[in-house]
Amino acid sequence: MFALLLLQLLHAGFGSPVTSQRSFGIDYAHNCFLKDGKPFRYISGSFHYSRVPRYYWKDRLLKMKMAGLDAIQTYVPWNFHEVEPGVYNFAGDRDLESFLRLADEIGLLVILRAGPYICAEWDMGGLPAWLLEKETIALRSSDADYLAAVERWMGVLLPKMKVHLYQNGGPIIMVQVENEYGSYFACDFDYLRYLQSLFHQHLGDEVVLFTTDGASKFLLRCGTLQGLYSTVDFGPGANVTASFLNQRHAEPNGPLVNSEFYTGWLDHWGHRHSVISSSLVAKTLSEILAHGGNVNMYMFIGGTNFGYWNGANMPYAAQPTSYDYDAPLSEAGDLTKKYFAIREVIAMYKTIPQGPIPPSTPKFAYGEVPLKKVGTVRDLLNDLSPSGPIKSTYPLTFVQVKQYVGYVLYRTKLPRNCTEEPLYSTLNGIHDRAYVVVDGIPQGVLERSRIVALNITGSAGAHLDLLVENMGRVNFGRYNNDFKGLVSNLTLGNETLADWEIYPLDIDTAVSQGLKNKRSGGNGSSNEEPSFYTGSFSIPSGIPDLPQDTYIAFPGWTKGQIWINGFNLGRYWPTRGPQLTLFVPSNILVSSFLNNVTVLELEKSPCGAQKCFVEFVDKPVLNATLHYESSTEKLFTKDLWPNHR
Ligand SMILES: *[C@@H]1O[C@H](CO)[C@@H](O)[C@H](O)[C@H]1NC(C)=O
Ligand SMILES: *[C@@H]1O[C@H](CO)[C@@H](O)[C@H](O)[C@H]1NC(C)=O
Ligand SMILES: *[C@@H]1O[C@H](CO)[C@@H](O)[C@H](O)[C@H]1NC(C)=O
Ligand SMILES: *[C@@H]1O[C@H](CO)[C@@H](O)[C@H](O)[C@H]1NC(C)=O
Ligand SMILES: *[C@@H]1O[C@H](CO)[C@@H](O)[C@H](O)[C@H]1NC(C)=O
Ligand SMILES: *[C@@H]1O[C@H](CO)[C@@H](O)[C@H](O)[C@H]1NC(C)=O
Ligand SMILES: *[C@@H]1O[C@H](CO)[C@@H](O)[C@H](O)[C@H]1NC(C)=O
Ligand SMILES: *[C@@H]1O[C@H](CO)[C@@H](O)[C@H](O)[C@H]1NC(C)=O
């Protein structure tokens, strides 16, 4: 049915053939864009291909087309593609060019936000962590090493993008340079000029380059540059007239553009789930369109921070796995009340496509899946860390051991017998959470900015293990140089600990190869030591259209990471919330074999005397904050809203 719809759209003349007249530009005299020489206004929605499995790209794009959108806007996360210096990945879910071709086939234009920095609640704002190998690097500035890395990356990305520019027959009408640079402290115009010339060098002189900043004179000051078209962002409830007047301050003539009109808002672990009412979104959207403004709705579909891709804000608070964003299409691509409210507003200003809207996908509750312990991280260490430990007198960071995401095990020996002796990091150097074990006896947790000391008991010579979790790098503000691991010395009592063995852990490879405990099975008796658990389930037969999408819930579990058939779904943390269930897209499930579930529980599992399980359910729960922190929440709201993304 989707294929049929696509054909109808194509026959209706979308995705028109290449002609020599294709052009896109700005008409300053008439305050509008010009497409093929005619006045043009766009209504767009953000869709980050990195947050939706490729399998579902077409479904989401069709739903956006059917809402009446002219365009989609996407970020390009540099760290998603240049995984190690000079090593590029544009395959599978990272196949940006296929994404662009699909948008084009469906008749959607593309506004490309090419970076290098993107914010986006994405790990380190899209900057690769390996940039931090130069510890003093000044990110987002004219720092020579930073620029050399940017030049190499853009030399790979932009030539690929050139053929997809509108004037070259593709869907890309505009390319954003940097992101909300006016909110960054560096205010380095040489850097913006450098990017401007680099982008033109690869994309030609004709391309429309633009910037986006918060709609205030102050934020526009350092974010704008002659020759880069200045646009603004603001959310529902803002004074539209006043916001666009601020754009006029930077750009006296030309089209009015809100590049990020917030349909919802982001979440943090331990904070209330963000919700923005459909009626307020519809009302302000209508005002923007009535002003003749161009608009991009951020997000139209938020999607998921799979794996380790979530970012964090300061004071340190990480974003959860779901990036639902309370957007008009849910994390799972479902049509919401907000979708229809927005579609109705758009229909007041332009003709929207007729015909069936692809329906929400059905969800299936596969039920409980019993899990069994495979072993502790200690038991499995040889498989998890095939390279073995790196020895160092003092701790090294993740980047120093060339591991950028996930977990690293730091091990030393207790220098003496200890009874209730405080272990602490004077410089708040636990980035971001450490699960502490002495010879198999769990001692507790240390957490950045929250839990700075922990009492240790054990005898001289015992292994002191800290499994340190990178919970996501800061994506906004001056704190992007976010080193992970033990970033300062640890003190036990009055003594600085030394002689570390540091185990980089390649958990994802070990999980996809199937974890086996070669030591006496299920040894670690404690259910409070970081451990792996596995189970399997089959898709019921005799029910049509399975496998379907589902959500996974964690009854009695505390905090950890989960894989299904080797696909890293992300982090769960039901004891903190607000997210209780994780989205499981159907494309990672198989109906011909057993599906494997692997859980790394970091704190405390429900397994023990009673049986323990995870449960597949057919409804998400994203709003059950259990551990609500009002003081920092106010801070985030004040600091980040509405001039941030
Ligand atoms: C919105 O801003 C405009 C321009 O600054 C101002 O004239 C108007 O009174 C404002 N409207 C409201 C409701 O504050
Ligand atoms: C340390 O504790 C062990 C028992 O756990 C004991 O045998 C040993 O004598 C103690 N050493 C010191 C120096 O107290
Ligand atoms: C550690 O133990 C000491 C002595 O028992 C106690 O006073 C202190 O509060 C404990 N500290 C922590 C962080 O639990
Ligand atoms: C740890 O302490 C040693 C000795 O004081 C010092 O040389 C080293 O720089 C410290 N390391 C960190 C990461 O603070
Ligand atoms: C550490 O404290 C112990 C007793 O609490 C003391 O005997 C020892 O001299 C101290 N060591 C240092 C290096 O201060
Ligand atoms: C667990 O394994 C350790 C070796 O890692 C061994 O010393 C211990 O006896 C085992 N315990 C049980 C209960 O099997
Ligand atoms: C699940 O694991 C089993 C045993 O390792 C393996 O045979 C099977 O192929 C796996 N299934 C999938 C879908 O990966
Ligand atoms: C959570 O969301 C559901 C579904 O939208 C809603 O019914 C429920 O009232 C919400 N709960 C809280 C605590 O906000």
Side-chain angles (χ1 to χ4, degrees), residues 393-397 400 427 486-490 496-497:
T393 308
Y394 299 109
L396 301 173
T397 64
Q400 285 170 323
L427 298 172
L486 298 182
V487 307
S488 67
N489 283 311
L490 273 192
T496 296
L497 292 173

Side-chain angles (χ1 to χ4, degrees), residues 381-407:
L381 200 49
N382 289 341
D383 288 340
L384 300 173
S385 184
S387 62
I390 294 158
K391 290 186 183 350
S392 171
T393 308
Y394 299 109
L396 301 173
T397 64
F398 272 47
V399 165
Q400 285 170 323
V401 301
K402 293 214 183 318
Q403 181 181 328
Y404 307 119
V405 294
Y407 307 83

Side-chain angles (χ1 to χ4, degrees), residues 127-144:
L127 299 174
W130 48 257
L131 289 170
L132 300 175
E133 277 165 19
K134 178 188 175 191
E135 276 180 37
T136 56
I137 196 164
L139 300 169
R140 306 177 68 192
S141 80
S142 302
D143 178 295

Side-chain angles (χ1 to χ4, degrees), residues 272-273 275 620-625:
R272 216 195 304 268
H273 175 55
V275 179
V621 181
L622 300 178
N623 62 354
T625 304

Side-chain angles (χ1 to χ4, degrees), residues 416 421 493-495:
R416 58 178 180 278
E421 273 210 55
N494 56 6
E495 196 169 340

Side-chain angles (χ1 to χ4, degrees), residues 419-423 451-456:
T419 310
E420 299 275 290
E421 273 210 55
L423 173 71
I451 311 170
V452 293
L454 185 68
N455 279 337
I456 300 293

